[in-house]
Amino acid sequence: VETSAALGFAPPASHRRTPSGVPLLADVQAAAAARECPPARTAARAGPAASGSALSWSGVAYDVGRKRILEPNSHRLCPGLSCLIGPSGAGKSSLLGILAGRKSRGRLRGTVALGGVRASSAERRLQVGYVTQDDVLPGTSTVAEHLHFHARVRLPWLPQEQRAAVVASTLTALSLTRKASSLIGDAHMRGLSGGERRRVSVAVELIAIHGSPRGVLLMDE
């Protein structure tokens, strides 16, 4: 069974099996998804962060041509860690891409909300960090160079000193401080280990959502 971290939901029973009887998505056991979120107040009175739901979606479905990729499904997630569990080909990555606002091909239906406020794909791209299955990193850059680059591009409103502080705290949080001056490396150049490369990818997205009141991080496998 493969897992995609960062969210958890169980689709309707009628959507859990393929024609051959193979379960499409297993029921989620994560406690974060099982518990009830705190009751939301009126967003107009309390602001976007009033809802106890960090991320929610309703009637989300996805088709490419005549092929149905995701059946309509709805769920809401409380702040914290949740997991989506299912076999290969179940549509986990497709759903994550939709929630992160990264899907442009095909036909999308449904709505997605952050902090109880409906968010467009463009808004989600700014407030949802998305770590994809594959690490897309420049092998000839050091870890610090790569993170400082993303801080400059994705946090341009922050003064240079604050961007540097964000990078430093992110390196510390992900135990990458000792690797800050190391080349990332690639198939032709020796560099970081697979786990270290994965942490760099996570660091990039943590920097991207720094300071966002409705920030969410989605990580695919």
Side-chain angles (χ1 to χ4, degrees):
V1 175
E2 296 182 358
T3 64
S4 293
L7 62 84
F9 83 105
S14 60
H15 298 155
R16 286 195 196 126
R17 295 184 177 275
T18 64
S20 62
V22 177
L24 281 178
L25 289 169
D27 287 336
V28 175
Q29 302 300 324
R35 69 176 184 268
E36 287 295 326
C37 299
R41 293 172 291 168
T42 304
R45 292 175 51 195
S51 172
S53 177
L55 174 66
S56 61
W57 62 97
S58 177
V60 168
Y62 180 44
D63 301 302
V64 176
R66 297 183 178 180
K67 185 176 181 180
R68 170 60 54 87
I69 306 299
L70 284 177
E71 297 284 356
N73 63 90
S74 305
H75 198 66
R76 65 173 183 165
L77 302 177
C78 305
L81 177 66
S82 300
C83 295
L84 171 65
I85 304 173
S88 178
K92 305 183 300 297
S93 295
S94 295
L95 179 59
L96 288 174
I98 292 169
L99 297 178
R102 264 62 168 191
K103 289 289 185 183
S104 57
R105 176 173 172 247
R107 181 187 177 194
L108 293 173
R109 288 178 291 168
T111 60
V112 181
L114 293 171
V117 179
R118 183 172 177 173
S120 66
S121 293
E123 290 171 327
R124 298 200 301 275
R125 284 194 293 272
L126 293 175
Q127 300 184 66
V128 177
Y130 181 36
V131 183
T132 60
Q133 288 184 345
D134 300 318
D135 297 316
V136 183
L137 302 169
T140 56
S141 295
T142 67
V143 172
E145 287 172 345
H146 187 56
L147 297 187
H148 280 292
F149 169 79
H150 275 275
R152 288 194 298 269
V153 171
R154 304 175 80 169
L155 301 174
W157 56 87
L158 288 181
Q160 182 176 351
E161 295 78 11
Q162 290 188 30
R163 290 200 301 265
V166 170
V167 170
S169 64
T170 304
L171 287 169
T172 300
L174 294 174
S175 300
L176 287 170
T177 303
R178 298 179 65 179
K179 295 291 183 177
S181 300
S182 300
L183 290 176
I184 294 174
D186 52 29
H188 307 287
M189 180 183 302
R190 186 173 182 178
L192 304 180
S193 67
E196 290 165 345
R197 289 173 59 87
R198 197 62 176 157
R199 278 182 278 153
V200 172
S201 296
V202 174
V204 167
E205 297 306 316
L206 285 176
I207 288 173
I209 62 174
H210 175 78
S212 173
R214 299 185 289 170
V216 174
L217 180 64
L218 304 179
M219 296 183 288
D220 198 351
E221 293 186 319

